[in-house]
Amino acid sequence: MEPRRLAIIAGISYLIIFFAAVFANFLVLESILDDPLAAIGGNQLLVRFGIMAFMITVVFDVVVAWALYELYKENSLTVLSTLFRMMHAAIMGVAVFALPVAMASSTAQEILKQVEIFNTIWLIGLFFFGIHLFLLG
């Protein structure tokens, strides 16, 4: 595939990740942290869309990893960088599974515990993302 097309795919994928992550983090996750019972009980559809938005970021993280690999495969660190990006996506995918458990929880404390689990696993994934960025640079 030609480099221009790969760059467009990566760019559009980054935009999708950006908007999905902003929605999931700042609209959905923040509303859960502000008032867990009201967010889960009163806005289940919004929470489900937030979970879906997080999963969309995972899928498009893989697309970006592939596009960047194809663009920079001549570089000796590209495979390693791609693997760290894929590890980030996989860990993020695992982290998202804490959020449906939060939806099934009945107390604010249980909900917040699941969100904390999500955040902790996600932060571990961001460590691998940081290494990916370092290697990419």
Side-chain angles (χ1 to χ4, degrees):
M1 192 175 288
E2 62 189 48
R4 178 172 164 70
R5 181 173 289 232
L6 289 167
I8 289 170
I9 290 170
I12 290 171
S13 296
Y14 266 125
L15 284 174
I16 292 169
I17 290 170
F18 173 77
F19 288 112
V22 165
F23 169 75
N25 278 306
F26 299 113
L27 200 70
V28 178
L29 212 53
E30 288 298 319
S31 72
I32 293 172
L33 291 172
D34 288 343
D35 190 355
L37 291 175
I40 297 293
N43 296 320
Q44 280 209 359
L45 186 61
L46 182 68
V47 174
R48 289 178 195 276
F49 281 141
I51 293 169
M52 187 172 21
F54 277 126
M55 290 308 294
I56 287 170
T57 65
V58 170
V59 169
F60 282 95
D61 258 333
V62 173
V63 172
V64 168
W66 165 77
L68 291 175
Y69 170 78
E70 289 294 324
L71 278 169
Y72 298 110
K73 62 184 166 190
E74 308 301 322
N75 189 311
S76 62
L77 295 175
T78 299
V79 171
L80 190 58
S81 174
T82 301
L83 290 175
F84 277 105
R85 180 76 184 235
M86 297 296 284
M87 286 183 69
H88 159 71
I91 292 169
M92 178 63 179
V94 170
V96 171
F97 280 97
L99 298 177
V101 176
M103 289 185 67
S105 301
S106 57
T107 67
Q109 185 178 9
E110 291 172 355
I111 294 167
L112 292 175
K113 180 66 176 170
Q114 292 303 314
V115 172
E116 182 181 334
I117 290 169
F118 165 78
N119 280 329
T120 301
I121 296 170
W122 184 25
L123 285 174
I124 293 167
L126 288 176
F127 171 76
F128 292 98
F129 181 71
I131 294 171
H132 153 75
L133 290 177
F134 179 77
L135 292 170
L136 187 66

